[in-house]
């Protein structure tokens, strides 16, 4: 059973991270390549890179978080079957925190893989250097983006629920069931869409943090708008 749970988490994480690396690679192409020099079908090219050159890094990073999630599921199962105690609750909390840290670190590590084609270990060292150089700014960046995306998904879900409820009332059907289904569907669809947006923003943040001069050269108008609120720092060297 443990192997099945691990396989489920691993498959889910690999699929999610393939999308993440594809989107990050696509945004990196936009960032570094002038419009007149963009390759044909850059989305397909980014997907091909994600499923070939970066696939090993994706699988390795996905395995790390999948192991933690599987251990957490085992602890929660034991809490329900064998009774709860302080040690199990603490272990569950520690695994949840560790999972969040690994998942957060993985997202930027795989962004490095997508942008520069690095191995997972090289990308991890570069990500650690990025965190050290940017400090709290990267956390603020993610906090604001995540909050906005979450609120947007909630609003879409509520709007979908209202529309579904009114339509059901007009046709004489059970409005509560239809409103719930519409609300959940709207939230899930919007949340999946915002995952793509978050991946793209993370890629642009990494590119800008390390190579602001490229944005100034290729997208000067956007560069000046950003530097009004977020002054560029000298690019940092990394392995």
């Amino acid at each position: 059973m443990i192997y099945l749970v691990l396989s489920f988490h691993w498959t889910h994480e690999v699929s999610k991270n393939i999308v993440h690396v594809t989107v990050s690679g696509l945004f990196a192409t936009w960032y570094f390549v002038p419009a007149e020099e963009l390759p044909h079908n850059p989305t397909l090219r980014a997907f091909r890179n994600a499923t070939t050159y970066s696939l090993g890094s994706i699988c390795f990073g996905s395995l790390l978080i999948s192991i933690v999630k599987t251990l957490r599921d085992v602890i929660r199962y034991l809490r329900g079957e064998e009774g709860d105690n302080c040690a199990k609750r603490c272990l569950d909390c520690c695994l949840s925190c560790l999972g969040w840290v690994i998942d957060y670190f993985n997202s930027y590590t795989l962004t490095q893989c997508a942008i520069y084609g690095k191995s997972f270990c090289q990308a991890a060292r570069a990500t650690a250097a990025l965190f050290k150089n940017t400090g709290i700014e990267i956390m603020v960046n993610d906090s604001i983006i995540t909050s906005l995306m979450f609120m947007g998904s909630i609003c879409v879900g509520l709007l979908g629920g209202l529309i579904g409820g009114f339509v059901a009332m007009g046709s004489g059907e059970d409005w509560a069931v239809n409103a719930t289904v519409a609300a959940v569907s709207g939230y899930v669809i919007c949340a999946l869409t915002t995952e793509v947006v978050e991946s793209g923003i993370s890629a642009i943040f990494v590119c800008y943090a390390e190579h602001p001069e490229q944005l100034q050269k290729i997208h000067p108008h956007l560069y000046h708008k950003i530097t009004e609120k977020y002054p560029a720092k000298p690019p940092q060297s990394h392995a």
Side-chain angles (χ1 to χ4, degrees):
M1 179 63 69
I2 294 178
Y3 296 111
L4 290 177
V5 175
L6 177 61
S7 298
F8 169 78
H9 284 306
W10 198 10
T11 301
H12 171 260
E13 291 296 326
V14 168
S15 302
K16 182 185 74 173
N17 286 327
I18 285 177
V19 175
H20 173 69
V21 172
T22 299
V23 175
S24 297
L26 178 63
F27 274 70
T29 301
W30 170 86
Y31 188 93
F32 287 105
V33 181
E36 61 275 8
E37 298 178 15
L38 283 175
H40 176 69
N41 203 338
T43 304
L44 180 60
R45 182 177 179 178
F47 177 74
R48 184 174 65 248
N49 290 338
T51 53
T52 52
Y53 303 116
S54 299
L55 185 59
S57 298
I58 291 173
C59 291
F60 182 71
S62 300
L63 179 61
L64 295 178
I65 185 62
S66 298
I67 291 174
V68 174
K69 287 185 175 181
T70 300
L71 292 175
R72 187 185 62 191
D73 290 342
V74 170
I75 295 299
R76 290 179 177 178
Y77 173 79
L78 294 176
R79 288 177 64 184
E81 290 294 318
E82 300 180 1
D84 201 4
N85 56 50
C86 182
K88 291 178 182 177
R89 287 195 295 269
C90 290
L91 187 55
D92 188 6
C93 180
C94 290
L95 287 173
S96 296
C97 293
L98 179 61
W100 181 86
V101 171
I102 293 177
D103 195 34
Y104 185 81
F105 190 80
N106 263 355
S107 66
Y108 279 95
T109 298
L110 293 176
T111 298
Q112 291 272 353
C113 294
I115 296 172
Y116 304 111
K118 297 177 179 179
S119 68
F120 186 87
C121 293
Q122 291 174 330
R125 287 194 294 269
T127 300
L130 176 67
F131 284 3
K132 180 180 179 181
N133 294 329
T134 58
I136 195 65
E137 293 165 357
I138 196 168
M139 300 291 293
V140 172
N141 169 71
D142 278 342
S143 176
I144 294 174
I145 293 170
T146 302
S147 299
L148 288 175
M149 296 300 150
F150 176 72
M151 291 303 299
S153 299
I154 291 293
C155 290
V156 170
L158 291 175
L159 180 61
L162 288 173
I163 295 175
F166 282 124
V167 171
M169 291 174 63
S171 58
E173 300 178 1
D174 188 338
W175 69 269
V177 173
N178 284 272
T180 302
V181 172
V184 172
S185 299
Y187 174 81
V188 170
I189 292 173
C190 186
L192 291 174
T193 304
T194 56
E195 285 285 338
V196 175
V197 176
E198 288 187 46
S199 297
I201 293 175
S202 296
I204 292 178
F205 183 87
V206 171
C207 292
Y208 181 76
E210 297 178 343
H211 301 285
E213 75 282 354
Q214 286 297 119
L215 186 66
Q216 183 180 23
K217 176 182 177 182
I218 298 176
H219 307 284
H221 297 295
L222 180 59
Y223 173 83
H224 292 305
K225 287 183 179 180
I226 293 178
T227 50
E228 289 178 0
K229 301 294 183 182
Y230 182 76
K233 295 181 178 180
Q236 303 291 335
S237 60
H238 38 168

